[in-house]
């Protein structure tokens, strides 16, 4: 195979590039061929031609699966966004002059299924009455490609690097407990007082964790302990609601409980920046106009529908 060159091929066939991306997306030459109406042999030859043009091997083949080489991973990362943009522009041109219509499927976490989200969605549907939106409310990480879901609202670090994401806003975290717990144990007056309290530990070690929060004196740290350690935020919140102790939660995840009086803010002068709330879509495929319109509406209006405690 030829040595890789550092200059781009001005005559590179975009069909070869897009077909390589489809192979990665579907996981096999056969599946990519079915998606594009091509025989497996044609897809394999197309990938070989692309590798020859680039002078590097992109995929390794075994009897069971295809795997990206290091060069293939780098190449995929480089072409993902341009291909997505090309598909979006092509779709917008094709749909220009048309009335947006059809189904958009979006998944959101339960903490966003709040009163603020309904008016947001209603305003979008009023503006685009021919669009139908299916909302899937779940904490489960939905496979967007396998389950044919167009968009996902997700917080924190993305585990799948093949997804395209756009940041909406950074979540904020605070300390919360039930009135019953605080009546029994007393309200902490300083951050150091948390050492004497039971805390709901989220992803700690040995029933302990160090919380770093920003308060009146800048960043302060305190090591807290508790009777339970969990790796699921929803379970941690449920335990706090059962009066187990004080928890550190994203404010948007406890907004409704605070408004109902089931949880109260502890040491409200202290907070911590959490993960980013992001709008996520599957990569390497055309985004219909109706989907891009809902995505853009989310980007524009995130501050209005995300609940705050």
């Amino acid at each position: 195979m030829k040595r890789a060159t550092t200059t781009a091929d001005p005559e590179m066939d975009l069909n070869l590039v897009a077909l390589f991306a489809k192979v990665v997306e579907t996981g096999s030459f056969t599946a990519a061929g079915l998606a594009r109406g091509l025989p497996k042999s044609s897809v394999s030859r197309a990938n070989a031609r692309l590798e020859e043009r680039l002078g590097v091997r992109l995929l390794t083949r075994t009897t069971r699966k295809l795997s990206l080489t290091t060069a293939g991973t780098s190449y995929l990362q480089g072409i993902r966004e341009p291909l997505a943009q090309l598909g979006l522009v092509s779709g917008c041109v094709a749909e220009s002059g048309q009335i947006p219509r059809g189904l958009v499927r979006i998944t959101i976490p339960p903490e966003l299924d709040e009163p603020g989200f309904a008016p947001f969605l209603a305003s979008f549907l009023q503006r685009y009455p021919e669009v139908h939106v299916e909302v899937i409310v779940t904490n489960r990480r939905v496979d967007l490609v396998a389950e044919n879901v167009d968009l996902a609202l997700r917080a924190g670090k993305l585990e799948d690097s093949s997804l395209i994401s756009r940041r909406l806003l950074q979540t904020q975290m605070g300390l919360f407990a039930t009135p019953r717990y605080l009546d029994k144990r007393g309200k902490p007056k300083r951050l150091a007082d948390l050492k004497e309290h039971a805390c709901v530990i989220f992803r700690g070690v040995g029933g302990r964790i160090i919380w770093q929060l920003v308060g009146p004196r800048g960043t302060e740290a305190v090591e807290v302990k508790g009777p339970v350690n969990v790796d699921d935020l929803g379970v941690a919140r449920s335990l706090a609601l059962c009066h187990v102790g004080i928890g550190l939660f994203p404010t948007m995840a406890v907004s409704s409980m605070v408004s109902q009086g089931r949880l109260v803010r502890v040491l409200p002068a202290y907070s911590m920046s959490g993960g980013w709330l992001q709008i996520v879509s599957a990569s390497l495929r055309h985004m219909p106009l109706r989907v891009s319109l809902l995505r853009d509406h989310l980007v524009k209006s995130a501050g209005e529908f995300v609940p705050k405690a």
Side-chain angles (χ1 to χ4, degrees):
M1 184 168 289
K2 297 178 182 179
R3 180 177 295 179
T5 59
T6 57
T7 57
D9 184 347
E11 297 182 356
M12 177 63 72
D13 187 345
L14 286 178
N15 289 321
L16 299 181
V17 179
L19 196 53
F20 162 72
K22 180 59 68 175
V23 170
V24 176
E25 180 184 335
T26 59
S28 71
F29 291 141
T30 301
L34 289 172
R36 292 296 173 86
L38 297 171
K40 175 184 175 182
S41 58
S42 296
V43 178
S44 180
R45 286 195 299 269
N47 187 75
R49 288 199 301 273
L50 178 61
E51 291 180 330
E52 181 68 20
R53 287 282 187 90
L54 295 172
V56 294
R57 187 170 298 281
L58 301 174
L59 297 167
T60 57
R61 308 161 184 78
T62 66
T63 55
R64 292 188 176 183
K65 67 176 183 178
L66 293 174
S67 300
L68 283 166
T69 64
T70 301
T73 300
S74 298
Y75 189 63
L76 180 66
Q77 291 174 346
I79 67 173
R80 181 181 293 126
E81 183 65 23
L83 283 177
Q85 290 297 324
L86 180 62
L88 177 59
V89 171
S90 299
C92 289
V93 170
E95 294 179 322
S96 61
Q98 299 181 16
I99 298 175
R101 57 168 51 90
L103 174 65
V104 181
R105 304 186 75 223
I106 180 172
T107 175
I108 66 172
E111 53 264 27
L112 285 181
D113 184 24
E114 299 282 348
F117 189 76
F120 154 81
L121 189 58
S123 68
F124 175 81
L125 295 173
Q126 185 176 15
R127 185 172 182 181
Y128 304 106
E130 297 296 320
V131 177
H132 177 76
V133 180
E134 181 177 326
V135 182
I136 304 165
V137 183
T138 179
N139 269 325
R140 180 175 60 88
R141 289 284 173 162
V142 174
D143 186 324
L144 302 187
V145 175
E147 300 182 48
N148 197 29
V149 174
D150 300 293
L151 299 170
L153 276 172
R154 291 179 179 171
K157 183 179 180 181
L158 293 182
E159 299 173 356
D160 188 347
S161 61
S162 69
L163 299 175
I164 293 177
S165 66
R166 186 168 178 180
R167 288 178 171 180
L168 301 181
L169 51 81
Q170 191 170 22
T171 60
Q172 295 298 312
M173 304 183 71
L175 299 163
F176 298 89
T178 61
R180 175 174 161 182
Y181 170 86
L182 295 174
D183 288 343
K184 180 180 179 181
R185 298 290 299 270
K187 292 183 178 181
K189 295 181 174 60
R190 302 173 303 154
L191 196 65
D193 293 343
L194 294 177
K195 295 179 181 180
E196 307 304 322
H197 280 265
C199 295
V200 179
I201 308 301
F202 176 60
R203 294 179 179 172
V205 178
R208 295 176 178 271
I209 193 171
I210 295 176
W211 286 342
Q212 287 191 326
L213 296 100
V214 178
R217 295 185 292 180
T219 301
E220 296 183 58
V222 59
E223 184 180 45
V224 299
K225 60 183 183 295
V228 61
N229 177 61
V230 298
D231 64 356
D232 181 85
L233 186 62
V235 174
R237 182 178 56 185
S238 296
L239 287 166
L241 287 168
C242 290
H243 325 293
V244 169
I246 298 171
L248 179 63
F249 302 114
T251 57
M252 71 177 189
V254 296
S255 173
S256 62
M257 292 80 173
V258 172
S259 63
Q260 296 164 8
R262 299 171 65 195
L263 290 175
V264 296
R265 187 81 179 255
V266 177
L267 297 171
Y270 288 87
S271 64
M272 183 176 75
S273 295
W276 284 87
L277 181 66
Q278 303 172 80
I279 181 69
V280 179
S281 60
S283 64
L284 310 178
R285 67 179 186 180
H286 162 59
M287 179 178 286
L289 178 60
R290 61 185 181 273
V291 178
S292 65
L293 287 172
L294 180 56
R295 181 203 59 187
D296 293 346
H297 194 58
L298 284 162
V299 171
K300 181 180 178 181
S301 308
E304 299 175 11
F305 69 80
V306 175
K308 299 177 180 63

